[in-house]
Amino acid sequence: MKPILETTTPGESNESSQESKGCFECCIKCLGGVPYASLLATILCFSGVALFCGCGHVALTKVESIVQMYFSTTPSDHVLLTEVIQMMQYVIYGVASFFFLYGIILLAEGFYTTSAVKEIHGEFKTTVCGRCISGMFVFLTYLLGIAWLGVFGFSAIPVFIYYNMWSTCQTINSPPANLTMMIDEICVDVRQYGIISWTASPGKACGSTLTTICNTSEFDLSYHLFIVACAGAGATVIALIHFLMILSANWAYLKDACKMQIYQDLKTKEEQELHDIHASRSKERLNSYT
């Protein structure tokens, strides 16, 4: 038996090539409309907020247990600290939810402005409401950036306290040659940082007790968690600055696109008026000849 050969007509091959070419062009157009800068800033913002909120929440819980175990044996002396930690944990929940929603909104804004800029010569029209919303996001992101600068500075405070405790423990474990005091006289008083009240007992840890605290898993874990939380706050600040630059540039592009649209509308109107004038004059000349 002879094998059956499949044959295609030239028209079918041309149609298939046009379809493949059209799919390729569609993919390129879709990829060209992705706001990569906004996408990068969103990922950085989500990562920074997640690190700050997650690590900060766990670290605050560890701080409470360390204070209750070694620095304040009476619950009434650290009741304010417990209330502040609980309040900050609830604030962390709200911050995480807000920035998850705000990051998605800014990413959608990036998609909108990218489409508006890339299609200013087409039928796409930017509206006054859209430009006002873009300006509002610029102002709101600026305020959030300033607020997160304060959060970043505030998150560095526990890192500073833990570093002082860690360096004091290193001094106890490896005392320098010119040390003039006894090891048991080297202390860390957390009352001077305002963590607990001045009437708290014992309020401080000295010598071997301080070394024991530094060797606990709670101290080591909370120290590293506070460092990561501080880094997360810094990453969020960088992300908001990145968002601010993107939003400012997109707002300027939309403003220029609006001017370009007005210019094109005026130019089209003038060309139509000139065409109507030439048509009317040609009609008048034809009527005069007849």
Side-chain angles (χ1 to χ4, degrees):
M1 297 180 62
K2 295 181 179 180
I4 299 175
L5 299 178
E6 295 183 356
T7 59
T8 58
T9 60
E12 292 179 353
S13 61
N14 291 334
E15 290 178 359
S16 61
S17 62
Q18 288 177 0
E19 289 178 358
S20 61
K21 184 177 180 181
C23 181
F24 177 76
E25 290 179 353
C26 182
C27 293
I28 294 298
K29 185 178 181 181
C30 292
L31 292 176
V34 175
Y36 294 101
S38 297
L39 184 62
L40 178 62
T42 303
I43 295 174
L44 182 61
C45 182
F46 283 170
S47 302
V49 173
L51 288 176
F52 174 79
C53 294
C55 296
H57 185 278
V58 178
L60 289 173
T61 304
K62 298 298 181 181
V63 167
E64 185 178 3
S65 63
I66 291 174
V67 170
Q68 291 177 359
M69 188 177 300
Y70 298 103
F71 294 99
S72 180
T73 56
T74 306
S76 59
D77 293 334
H78 58 266
V79 62
L80 180 61
L81 175 65
T82 303
E83 293 177 354
V84 170
I85 288 176
Q86 291 178 354
M87 181 186 66
M88 292 180 65
Q89 288 176 340
Y90 285 121
V91 170
I92 285 174
Y93 299 148
V95 167
S97 303
F98 172 78
F99 271 90
F100 177 76
L101 179 61
Y102 190 68
I104 294 177
I105 293 174
L106 290 183
L107 183 60
E109 171 69 10
F111 274 101
Y112 165 76
T113 50
T114 301
S115 300
V117 171
K118 289 183 178 297
E119 299 181 12
I120 57 177
H121 298 290
E123 296 180 356
F124 187 90
K125 299 293 184 181
T126 59
T127 61
V128 177
C129 180
R131 295 192 297 273
C132 290
I133 291 175
S134 298
M136 181 192 69
F137 280 132
V138 172
F139 179 72
L140 183 59
T141 306
Y142 177 77
L143 293 181
L144 290 175
I146 295 177
W148 269 96
L149 281 175
V151 173
F152 176 67
F154 180 77
S155 62
I157 295 176
V159 177
F160 172 74
I161 296 174
Y162 269 81
Y163 177 76
N164 284 342
M165 293 181 64
W166 177 80
S167 61
T168 304
C169 290
Q170 295 299 316
T171 302
I172 295 174
N173 293 329
S174 301
N178 57 353
L179 185 65
T180 58
M181 62 177 65
M182 300 295 294
I183 298 298
D184 293 336
E185 295 178 356
I186 302 176
C187 304
V188 171
D189 192 347
V190 297
R191 293 174 296 184
Q192 63 181 344
Y193 299 111
I195 298 177
I196 54 179
S197 62
W198 282 103
T199 58
S201 177
K204 62 180 180 179
C206 304
S208 59
T209 304
L210 181 59
T211 305
T212 303
I213 296 173
C214 293
N215 292 331
T216 58
S217 59
E218 290 85 359
F219 179 86
D220 185 68
L221 180 61
S222 58
Y223 184 26
H224 289 87
L225 286 177
F226 274 124
I227 294 175
V228 176
C230 184
T236 306
V237 172
I238 296 175
L240 289 174
I241 294 174
H242 196 180
F243 267 128
L244 185 61
M245 292 188 295
I246 294 169
L247 292 170
S248 301
N250 288 338
W251 184 81
Y253 290 151
L254 288 178
K255 188 176 179 181
D256 293 337
C258 179
K259 293 180 179 179
M260 182 64 69
Q261 289 174 4
I262 295 174
Y263 171 75
Q264 290 179 350
D265 292 339
L266 291 175
K267 185 178 179 181
T268 303
K269 185 177 180 181
E270 290 178 356
E271 290 177 352
Q272 184 64 33
E273 290 177 353
L274 291 175
H275 178 72
D276 294 339
I277 291 173
H278 286 299
S280 62
R281 288 181 180 178
S282 299
K283 187 176 181 180
E284 290 176 356
R285 290 177 182 177
L286 182 60
N287 292 332
S288 64
Y289 288 143
T290 56

